[in-house]
């Protein structure tokens, strides 16, 4: 399986990092070794001094597809959750300046904690709020209606380039409010008022 992550999909987050609003979805991959399940703790890697949390809505692909039309995209996922796209911002900045790929900044072990999956029906029927609490304080809030490219557009776009397979995950981008994590932080993700993810930073 593969993890597809969409970058710069919320205007307020693109702005906080001084990135331009993209005219087509920006995406990158993480390997399956990035996944943390069952609220496993996250260990800050030695290679970074500036790891940021990015809270994102995640969908799971449930059938094989290529060149999927937008109107059929809702048939290609039935479960969703929240995930964290941990990012070594110092390394990412260095890669950006040198025009290098982002894997060292984005694809390291443990960089993709995943919450509990629930039915994606509510998402297909309307907009959902989600939020990240850091040590009990509200740190990120988002609403799926604020995505620059919605989930159907993302599925249609990405599937032009790579076949989507059962079990593939799509991280759909983070809203504003990303911040550096420190040892001892507790990150909790709520979707539509329901806690789906909790991650301790070590
Ligand atoms: Zn992200």
């Amino acid at each position: 399986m593969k993890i597809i992550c969409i970058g710069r999909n919320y205007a307020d987050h693109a702005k906080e990092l001084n990135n331009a609003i993209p005219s087509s979805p920006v995406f990158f991959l993480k390997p399956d070794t990035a996944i943390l399940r069952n609220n496993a703790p996250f260990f800050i890697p030695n290679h970074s001094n500036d790891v940021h949390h990015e809270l994102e809505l995640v969908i799971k692909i449930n059938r094989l597809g290529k060149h999927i039309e937008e109107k059929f995209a809702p048939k290609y996922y039935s479960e969703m959750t929240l995930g964290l796209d941990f990012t070594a911002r110092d390394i990412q900045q260095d890669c950006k300046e040198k025009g290098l790929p982002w894997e060292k900044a984005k694809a390291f072990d443990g960089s993709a904690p995943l919450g509990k999956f629930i039915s994606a029906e509510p998402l297909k029927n309307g907009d959902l709020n989600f939020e990240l609490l850091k040590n009990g304080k509200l740190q990120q809030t988002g609403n799926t209606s604020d995505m620059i490219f919605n989930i159907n557009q993302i599925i249609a776009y990405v599937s032009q380039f790579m076949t989507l397979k059962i079990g593939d995950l799509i991280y759909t981008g983070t809203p504003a409010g990303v911040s550096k994590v420190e040892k001892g932080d507790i990150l909790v993700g709520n979707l539509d008022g329901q806690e789906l993810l909790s991650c301790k930073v070590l």
Side-chain angles (χ1 to χ4, degrees), residues 5-8 13 28 54 56 85 87 106 171-174:
C5 301
I6 308 299
R8 304 173 192 173
H13 171 65
F28 58 92
E54 296 188 354
E56 312 198 1
D85 166 18
T87 303
K106 287 282 197 182
Y171 277 63
T172 57
T174 191

Side-chain angles (χ1 to χ4, degrees), residues 4-17:
I4 296 153
C5 301
I6 308 299
R8 304 173 192 173
N9 201 27
Y10 288 81
D12 56 353
H13 171 65
K15 208 168 140 192
E16 77 179 343
L17 294 186

